[in-house]
Amino acid sequence: MNVTLGEKEHIEFLDEKTRVIVSDEHTFGTDAILLASFSSPKKNDIICDLGTGCGIIPFLFYRDGNRFLTAVEIQENACNQVERSIELNGAKDSFTLIHSDLRQLDFKLLNGKFSLVTMNPPYTKSNSGIKSEKESEKIARHETMCSISDIALCASKILKFGGRLCLCGRPERLFETMKALSEKKIEPKKLRTVHKNTKTAPWLFLLEARLGGKSGLTVMPPLYIENDDKSESEELLKILGKYREGTEK
């Protein structure tokens, strides 16, 4: 199915068939792909991706067979991209797109609905770092529209008891993130750090937490994205998998 692309838009192939529209404003990086892989949804999971941007995470799930997908996004242009990507993939029966601030969702309607919630959140506090000039980048990178506490509160309302929240973030905010989740009874259960190579400190963490889970955190082996000779690691190549094959078509 054909859709109209804007001047600064193009199509990324996630495999031979699954496609997502990206733009200069709303695109994706390696962290989103790593988070989608880390989340490891089951086929029958009912999934919500908060702050979906161009929709990369739910479209990766769709590519791999998940069909109960909800995407929440506050920015109108991003929602327009996702809507056209849904049309492009003939995926209307599998997606619900909600144009909303995650702090203002209809929690009565969505209460306890999801078994998995994912989010690639803004990494920087609203009063920290150099602000991006583009409004879309400010929202994606800085906590101008939501904080980690807002994310924790939202997830605590829309997750089923025992449901999982998977997110990523910068290592310097790990304690703050885990504390915010614990305060909303979402207990951190699995942690993995991501490193450029074996000689570098982590630049990203991947965290899974469960609503109503018991205390007890499993720390997984580090994920290295490069070998010491700067070639891509075997694990990264495995994670990229179908996406890399799609881009080479």
Side-chain angles (χ1 to χ4, degrees):
M1 185 177 296
N2 295 321
V3 298
T4 302
L5 295 179
E7 183 180 348
K8 296 182 179 181
E9 294 179 339
H10 70 275
I11 294 173
E12 286 280 332
F13 282 78
L14 305 183
D15 64 4
E16 292 183 350
K17 296 181 179 179
T18 312
R19 296 161 287 176
V20 62
I21 298 170
V22 300
S23 68
D24 289 353
E25 282 188 317
H26 305 290
T27 185
F28 64 91
T30 304
D31 50 356
I33 298 174
L34 296 178
L35 177 59
S37 175
F38 175 78
S39 301
S40 300
K42 298 175 182 178
K43 287 293 189 292
N44 61 347
D45 268 332
I46 301 173
I47 304 170
C48 180
D49 184 48
L50 300 172
T52 199
C54 67
I56 178 60
I57 291 176
F59 276 107
L60 286 168
F61 293 157
Y62 176 80
R63 178 199 67 184
D64 293 338
N66 293 97
R67 292 296 180 264
F68 305 105
L69 301 162
T70 295
V72 176
E73 175 55 48
I74 192 171
Q75 299 187 72
E76 185 175 357
N77 288 346
C79 285
N80 180 266
Q81 278 183 221
V82 175
E83 190 170 26
R84 285 179 290 130
S85 292
I86 292 171
E87 183 178 352
L88 185 66
N89 289 281
K92 289 184 178 180
D93 292 341
S94 300
F95 275 83
T96 298
L97 176 60
I98 301 176
H99 180 198
S100 174
D101 185 324
L102 63 81
R103 298 169 297 184
Q104 299 173 358
L105 288 173
D106 187 344
F107 294 122
K108 290 184 179 179
L109 178 64
L110 300 176
N111 182 51
K113 178 176 180 178
F114 300 102
S115 55
L116 173 62
V117 172
T118 57
M119 186 169 190
N120 182 359
Y123 292 151
T124 308
K125 288 186 176 182
S126 60
N127 59 352
S128 300
I130 299 172
K131 289 289 195 300
S132 304
E133 292 185 4
K134 293 181 181 179
E135 186 63 24
S136 59
E137 292 180 353
K138 287 181 184 178
I139 293 171
R141 298 176 183 176
H142 300 267
E143 290 183 340
T144 57
M145 291 296 185
C146 70
S147 66
I148 187 61
S149 294
D150 295 325
I151 295 166
L153 177 61
C154 177
S156 72
K157 292 180 179 293
I158 66 176
L159 276 170
K160 296 179 178 180
F161 185 83
R164 298 184 297 134
L165 169 65
C166 292
L167 46 74
C168 55
R170 294 290 182 243
E172 60 267 25
R173 302 197 67 189
L174 176 58
F175 175 77
E176 176 187 359
T177 300
M178 295 174 72
K179 183 174 181 291
L181 298 182
S182 291
E183 287 174 350
K184 298 302 178 185
K185 310 301 182 185
I186 308 174
E187 195 65 31
K189 299 298 294 180
K190 188 186 298 182
L191 171 67
R192 193 170 198 193
T193 55
V194 182
H195 306 243
K196 183 177 181 181
N197 55 50
T198 58
K199 299 177 181 178
T200 59
W203 61 272
L204 188 76
F205 70 78
L206 302 164
L207 183 67
E208 176 190 298
R210 286 186 181 270
L211 181 63
K214 295 180 180 179
S215 61
L217 177 68
T218 298
V219 180
M220 301 173 66
L223 169 58
Y224 301 110
I225 64 173
E226 286 184 358
N227 299 312
D228 290 340
D229 63 2
K230 297 187 178 181
S231 61
E232 292 176 319
S233 70
E234 183 177 345
E235 187 167 11
L236 177 63
L237 290 173
K238 183 178 179 181
I239 291 170
L240 292 176
K242 296 175 184 176
Y243 168 61
R244 176 59 60 78
E245 292 167 9
T247 59
E248 292 176 350
K249 294 294 180 183

